Amino acid sequence: MTAGKKLSFGIKTVPQHTTYEDMLRVWQEADSIPSIEHAWLFDHFMPLGKDFTGPCLEGWTLLAAYAAVTKRVRLGLMVTGNTYRHPAVLANMAATVDIISGGRLDFGIGAGWNEREHSSYGIPLYSTGERIRRLGEACEIIKRMWTETAPSYEGKYYQIKDAYCEPKPIQKPHPPFVIGGAGEKLTLRIVAQYASIWNFVGGDAEMFQQRSAVLDNHCAAIGRDPQTIQRSIQVLVYPEDLEETRNQVRSYAQAGATHLILSLRAPYPEGIVHRLDEEIIKPLRAEFEE
């Protein structure tokens, strides 16, 4: 355990099997608690899990609504599926949300993966390698559209020409890229090139630590300081056993994670964010930051 490590805590509400109003209550509670620094939604069109027939609110439009009615927390999607929208369209959407929020967007993006959604919606689901290469091109296009007047780009998968994105995002030079994934050869190379935050998915703290070391190596290969990329994880909250949740978060923090997301599923108990603050965030901050 490393004393003095700065931890950043956030919450995530999964917008399935719930309502706009119930999640809004959680977001506004989080916005009122200074130790909660960020809040997240996901980017899916149908619920994950066994019951995929229930309600599921669309991520970017919901994020814009919550951006307008919160004042402090940073916000984003953990993470956008790149295959769902052309990157030039996504650049405009994200710039608009950054403006609505007053410059609080963390731009989450990943390669996309959900087979059911792609087949149901008629969206092509490419091979894993192609999806990741498309992600790399998308990051380049979005970055250029946020920082250049009228960029053009001729990639293998995407092309733009004089692609204006006005107004630009408030954050300069652009909103931070948050890239989710854990593939050693392709994904983490894209993380090293573009991300300010890397969100690890799909394994325990030991695997997180191993993939974090791989990311360090990719950073070294391009001359980037690996300390400029925050290491992020998500842990599912069990409201009936917050000690178990706290222990899981602790294991990742001990392995080097500093960007810690507490993921909530509906129904949301009254006062759940205050409980997270008292029973998880404050104790862990006392352990790691003092």
Side-chain angles (χ1 to χ4, degrees):
M1 186 179 303
T2 303
K5 180 190 294 186
K6 176 67 170 68
L7 303 180
S8 172
F9 285 92
I11 58 108
K12 178 179 179 180
T13 56
V14 176
Q16 64 181 38
H17 306 304
T18 186
T19 65
Y20 171 84
E21 292 79 11
D22 279 351
M23 282 188 296
L24 176 61
R25 169 174 56 83
V26 175
W27 275 60
Q28 291 182 326
E29 184 181 357
D31 200 39
S32 72
I33 301 173
S35 61
I36 305 291
E37 298 179 37
H38 36 95
W40 304 86
L41 302 166
F42 75 15
D43 187 31
H44 292 285
F45 305 121
M46 295 184 288
L48 303 182
K50 293 181 180 180
D51 181 10
F52 55 87
T53 65
C56 186
L57 293 163
E58 195 279 323
W60 273 102
T61 46
L62 185 61
L63 189 67
Y66 289 170
V69 294
T70 54
K71 297 179 180 179
R72 184 190 56 80
V73 289
R74 298 192 62 79
L75 44 84
L77 297 192
M78 186 59 70
V79 288
T80 307
N82 177 58
T83 48
Y84 296 144
R85 306 165 188 86
H86 191 283
V89 174
L90 183 57
N92 275 271
M93 293 168 57
T96 299
V97 172
D98 194 55
I99 291 164
I100 292 170
S101 69
R104 291 183 285 128
L105 176 69
D106 285 335
F107 177 68
I109 190 167
W113 61 271
N114 190 288
E115 183 176 352
R116 184 185 303 278
E117 288 175 329
H118 286 80
S119 61
S120 294
Y121 281 69
I123 300 170
L125 182 66
Y126 311 102
S127 68
T128 301
E130 180 172 340
R131 292 201 304 274
I132 297 170
R133 288 188 289 271
R134 284 175 174 270
L135 172 64
E137 288 194 11
C139 288
E140 182 63 24
I141 286 173
I142 292 165
K143 181 179 178 180
R144 291 189 188 189
M145 291 184 65
W146 286 344
T147 58
E148 300 176 16
T149 300
S152 297
Y153 178 84
E154 190 73 26
K156 180 176 181 180
Y157 305 108
Y158 302 113
Q159 299 79 39
I160 58 173
K161 183 178 180 181
D162 299 330
Y164 287 89
C165 178
E166 298 295 342
K168 302 290 188 203
I170 289 175
Q171 298 180 83
K172 303 303 177 188
H174 53 75
F177 280 77
V178 183
I179 298 180
E184 297 185 49
K185 295 182 179 180
L186 296 177
T187 301
L188 291 180
R189 187 175 288 118
I190 295 170
V191 171
Q193 185 173 358
Y194 293 101
S196 295
I197 301 170
W198 164 57
N199 183 256
F200 167 76
V201 292
D204 59 15
E206 184 178 356
M207 181 181 287
F208 162 80
Q209 198 165 36
Q210 183 267 329
R211 297 299 166 86
S212 186
V214 172
L215 176 56
D216 289 348
N217 292 334
H218 284 311
C219 288
I222 62 172
R224 181 173 182 184
D225 179 358
Q227 297 302 312
T228 62
I229 302 176
Q230 290 188 70
R231 313 303 162 102
S232 173
I233 55 92
Q234 304 176 62
V235 172
L236 181 61
V237 170
Y238 299 95
E240 70 283 357
D241 189 0
L242 292 186
E243 182 179 2
E244 170 61 23
T245 304
R246 184 172 66 245
N247 289 338
Q248 288 190 44
V249 176
R250 179 187 291 110
S251 70
Y252 286 108
Q254 289 171 332
T258 59
H259 187 271
L260 310 167
I261 301 168
L262 303 171
S263 184
L264 296 160
R265 301 290 191 272
Y268 310 108
E270 288 287 341
I272 183 60
V273 185
H274 281 91
R275 287 187 59 203
L276 298 180
D277 185 35
E278 292 296 326
E279 299 182 43
I280 295 178
I281 296 173
K282 287 179 179 176
L284 291 178
R285 284 213 160 119
E287 288 183 40
F288 285 90
E289 295 184 4
E290 294 181 358

